[in-house]
Amino acid sequence: HRHLLGIDPLRPDEIVTLLDLADRYVALGRQREKHATSLAGLTQVNMFFENSTRTQASFELAGKRLGADVMSMSMQASSIKKGETLIDTAMTLNAMHPDLLVVRHPQSGAVDLLAQKVRCAVINAGDGRHEHPTQALLDALTIRRAKGRLHRLTVAICGDIAHSRVARSNILLLHRMENRVRLVAPPTLLPAGIDGFGVEVTHDMREGLKDADVVMMLRLQKERMDGGFIPSEREYYHRYGLDAEKLAHAKEDAIVMHPGPMNRGVEIDGTLADDINRSVIQEQVEMGVAVRMAAMDLLARNLRARPTEVIT
Ligand code: CP
């Protein structure tokens, strides 16, 4: 693949190859000396048009640990603020010969559009409510390490599915790896046409969590609700917030996941989120660096296999 824009184009064996490489980078990240040279000589530019803590920091660390020249643009201070379009900004950077462009954008499809305009490899770091492929890959690595496999598991994805690119990428990946995916949400927070994705749907947490191996919670994404229905947080927590009582319906060894940033007391009980016997939220963050190292390493191998494009 030239780019990583979504989970959809990835075959199961390609997902396994990436996760196997990421496992090796987890081991490297736990050593005092964390450097490798896979991206040496390459230039990585991070463009985040939407807020981020985990994704931006981990892409920057991943690039630096692999020896790339990494530049994180401050989009708040960029000429976008003076009216320059996304494509003009991308073409300007393109003229500086980056090799990897990591992009987050609030509009679904914006990153795909940009990838058609530039010569370098583009990685989608989250576009609107469309896809967040490296999040699904880091979640898959976390699940595989906790459960010893990534197939024939029951995974409950709970909460604001309608506005979630994390849910969409996870549904695609988990379904492709032959897991049973259950969506648990109020009807107002489920996207239209979700039945076509090969998932089970319920509006009841206790029913949805029954015998689950993995419980994946999502944040209420008020910034994408366009002034539409915003449930009362108190009522939402009562019905859909994960606490010990609801989790008791899942398997005894079920793991609790959350992509972050989390709202404690809205979609998850804070004590449960911190319970290292159940919650793998911090492991997810660690896997994020390793998966992004693996993704950029594999894209760089493709880049190096292509002849250098010379501008005349
Ligand atoms: N999970 C995730 O994408 O977090 P950030 O928004 O902090 O990058």
Side-chain angles (χ1 to χ4, degrees):
H1 299 273
R2 180 168 182 177
H3 307 294
L4 178 57
L5 300 175
I7 294 297
D8 208 25
L10 301 183
R11 296 191 312 265
D13 64 296
E14 292 173 326
I15 292 169
V16 169
T17 298
L18 192 149
L19 298 186
D20 289 349
L21 181 57
D23 259 331
R24 303 220 297 272
Y25 283 131
V26 174
L28 183 69
R30 290 180 180 181
Q31 292 175 16
R32 179 82 60 206
E33 170 57 58
K34 300 174 176 62
H35 286 125
T37 55
S38 323
L39 301 185
L42 300 183
T43 300
Q44 172 192 339
V45 177
N46 300 332
M47 294 167 70
F48 280 66
F49 295 90
E50 212 183 50
N51 294 346
S52 173
T53 297
R54 279 143 287 269
T55 312
Q56 182 163 358
S58 58
F59 266 114
E60 187 161 339
L61 269 184
K64 286 181 173 165
R65 285 184 184 174
L66 292 180
D69 295 321
V70 184
M71 180 179 70
S72 287
M73 297 276 298
S74 168
M75 300 322 294
Q76 289 300 320
S78 77
S79 286
I80 289 268
K81 291 283 166 200
K82 299 178 186 166
E84 190 167 60
T85 68
L86 169 67
I87 299 302
D88 283 340
T89 301
M91 294 309 290
T92 300
L93 290 170
N94 191 48
M96 299 183 203
H97 298 279
D99 301 289
L100 293 152
L101 205 50
V102 180
V103 187
R104 170 170 287 192
H105 199 278
Q107 285 175 339
S108 306
V111 184
D112 288 48
L113 180 70
L114 191 144
Q116 292 166 24
K117 305 281 181 188
V118 295
R119 282 187 300 270
C120 59
V122 176
I123 303 180
N124 182 1
D127 64 323
R129 58 182 78 176
H130 176 227
E131 278 238 38
H132 191 353
T134 54
Q135 178 71 45
L137 289 160
L138 77 86
D139 288 341
L141 184 62
T142 309
I143 293 170
R144 194 173 79 165
R145 289 171 68 99
K147 293 284 153 199
R149 67 182 197 275
L150 188 59
H151 61 277
R152 289 200 217 120
L153 294 166
T154 300
V155 183
I157 304 179
C158 314
D160 183 0
I161 315 274
H163 302 100
S164 178
R165 55 196 177 210
V166 174
R168 189 185 166 88
S169 291
N170 263 301
I171 291 166
L172 290 168
L173 189 152
L174 292 166
H175 188 247
R176 187 144 304 161
M177 302 309 286
E178 300 186 6
N179 295 285
R180 187 170 175 186
V181 180
R182 240 185 243 153
L183 305 183
V184 192
T188 44
L189 294 179
L190 280 164
I194 195 67
D195 298 348
F197 280 74
V199 293
E200 301 166 21
V201 178
T202 174
H203 308 310
D204 182 88
M205 278 290 273
R206 289 161 189 86
E207 186 187 328
L209 264 54
K210 192 171 172 350
D211 296 329
D213 298 286
V214 177
V215 181
M216 193 180 284
M217 302 308 299
L218 298 171
R219 181 174 64 88
L220 267 188
Q221 296 181 71
K222 292 185 175 175
E223 73 276 22
R224 291 194 216 291
M225 291 188 185
D226 304 328
F229 175 73
I230 297 178
S232 128
E233 288 185 358
R234 216 177 137 94
E235 172 70 5
Y236 184 82
Y237 182 67
H238 176 65
R239 295 191 58 183
Y240 292 99
L242 185 68
D243 56 16
E245 185 271 319
K246 294 191 190 86
L247 183 61
H249 293 262
K251 280 192 183 153
E252 212 174 320
D253 62 351
I255 55 169
V256 173
M257 304 180 75
H258 193 305
M262 68 182 150
N263 289 315
R264 292 168 183 262
V266 179
E267 68 266 358
I268 190 166
D269 169 54
T271 308
L272 184 54
D274 295 334
D275 179 356
I276 56 167
N277 295 313
R278 305 309 296 267
S279 165
V280 293
I281 294 170
Q282 295 305 317
E283 277 88 338
Q284 286 174 268
V285 178
E286 181 185 7
M287 296 310 119
V289 180
V291 152
R292 286 158 183 141
M293 289 169 83
M296 292 197 290
D297 181 341
L298 292 172
L299 288 173
R301 291 180 200 188
N302 278 352
L303 274 176
R304 293 192 202 279
R306 291 206 311 267
T308 310
E309 290 167 276
V310 179
I311 301 176
T312 51

